[in-house]
Amino acid sequence: EMDWTFAGPFGTYDKAQLQRGLAVYTNVCSACHSMKLVSFRSLEALGYSEAQVKAFAAAWPVQVQDGPNTDGEMFERPAIPSDHFPPPYANDQQAAVVNNAVPPDFSLIAKARTVERGFPTFIFDIFTQYAEGGPDYIHALLNGYDEAPPEGMEIAEGTHYNPYFIAGKSLAMAKPINDGDVTYTDGTPQTVDQYSRDVASFLMWAAEPHLEERKSTGFRVMIFLVLFASLVYLTKRKVWNGTAH
């Protein structure tokens, strides 16, 4: 269980961390994993200007299929801010051939890949509002590749052991990132641990971009309910005060 800025009822996203996470996704993860539900223009929420987002979309290595044109043919063009992130493969069959398995889409991965916490932990989670199982899992998985399998354990050929992988003993994805693979310009350590923290935060934002608004609204609703309940109680006391039993 990690310490995330967006954890708890008053959690918020760290925009600098989200920008670093985007860099990790762009330079490493996007080669295999799509993010089909996220549009380029939503990156403005990370602190980028409209011009920066436009340039970022235009420079994306995979072009967008559009059309038909006046000749009735489909064509490819550079991405624009209103487009969603183009997937790295034309279809799932092509992705499976290249990777020995279909890499999951990353749009909702931080919400979909969460580990269930049993009794009595889940009871405490109700009060702490723990909802960071996905980012915790992503961080653990990316840091678990250097561990050797237990003596006597056999894993399928072409797969890679990771003790934190919840769907089996090993997975098709090899270790995706090493220290120094992505350059940070803000002086943040360029380590696997830091990369995994940043990309997990970015993927949490991708899965729940309105988290801050939801928590803010929820807090105001709770304050309203407390005040409303108090008024109802005081009204009840006044109405029934002095009434004979």
Side-chain angles (χ1 to χ4, degrees):
E1 185 173 342
M2 304 295 295
D3 183 21
W4 305 101
T5 63
F6 48 82
F10 306 106
T12 59
Y13 287 122
D14 180 344
K15 290 186 178 180
Q17 184 174 52
L18 297 184
Q19 291 184 9
R20 294 194 303 269
L22 172 63
V24 174
Y25 171 77
T26 301
N27 290 280
V28 180
C29 311
S30 65
C32 299
H33 296 274
S34 59
M35 204 155 58
K36 300 175 183 178
L37 302 181
V38 180
S39 65
F40 287 105
R41 64 185 172 192
S42 65
L43 297 179
E44 291 185 28
L46 274 59
Y48 294 108
S49 67
E50 184 178 346
Q52 287 175 312
V53 171
K54 184 176 181 179
F56 182 85
W60 194 255
V62 181
Q63 295 200 324
V64 176
Q65 188 178 62
D66 204 345
N69 57 18
T70 54
D71 296 324
E73 298 178 348
M74 303 299 291
F75 61 93
E76 291 187 341
R77 59 164 175 79
I80 58 177
S82 60
D83 290 321
H84 291 76
F85 281 74
Y89 302 105
N91 49 62
D92 287 348
Q93 288 74 17
Q94 184 187 62
V97 169
V98 175
N99 299 279
N100 297 323
V102 180
D105 182 82
F106 270 6
S107 304
L108 303 174
I109 196 76
K111 301 292 285 187
R113 292 292 194 274
T114 186
V115 181
E116 294 184 3
R117 289 147 65 97
F119 180 86
T121 307
F122 78 90
I123 296 179
F124 297 108
D125 291 344
I126 296 174
F127 298 97
T128 62
Q129 297 190 24
Y130 174 78
E132 294 76 52
D136 284 341
Y137 174 64
I138 293 169
H139 175 270
L141 188 71
L142 291 176
N143 284 275
Y145 277 96
D146 293 330
E147 298 190 29
E151 185 177 351
M153 176 183 286
E154 295 184 3
I155 61 175
E157 183 178 357
T159 64
H160 307 270
Y161 174 73
N162 193 311
Y164 302 106
F165 185 52
I166 60 176
K169 296 184 294 185
S170 58
L171 67 166
M173 182 177 72
K175 184 177 181 180
I177 194 169
N178 295 285
D179 292 351
D181 281 356
V182 179
T183 301
Y184 286 159
T185 59
D186 61 358
T188 302
Q190 297 171 175
T191 62
V192 172
D193 177 69
Q194 187 64 51
Y195 292 149
S196 58
R197 292 171 185 263
D198 295 340
V199 75
S201 295
F202 170 72
L203 294 176
M204 183 64 176
W205 168 83
E208 194 170 2
H210 303 296
L211 175 143
E212 293 175 326
E213 294 88 337
R214 174 177 62 79
K215 291 187 175 184
S216 177
T217 301
F219 178 72
R220 292 196 295 268
V221 169
M222 292 303 296
I223 293 296
F224 168 78
L225 291 176
V226 170
L227 294 175
F228 181 73
S230 300
L231 291 174
V232 169
Y233 174 74
L234 292 174
T235 301
K236 182 251 184 191
R237 287 286 303 271
K238 185 175 182 179
V239 169
W240 293 95
N241 187 36
T243 303
H245 295 283

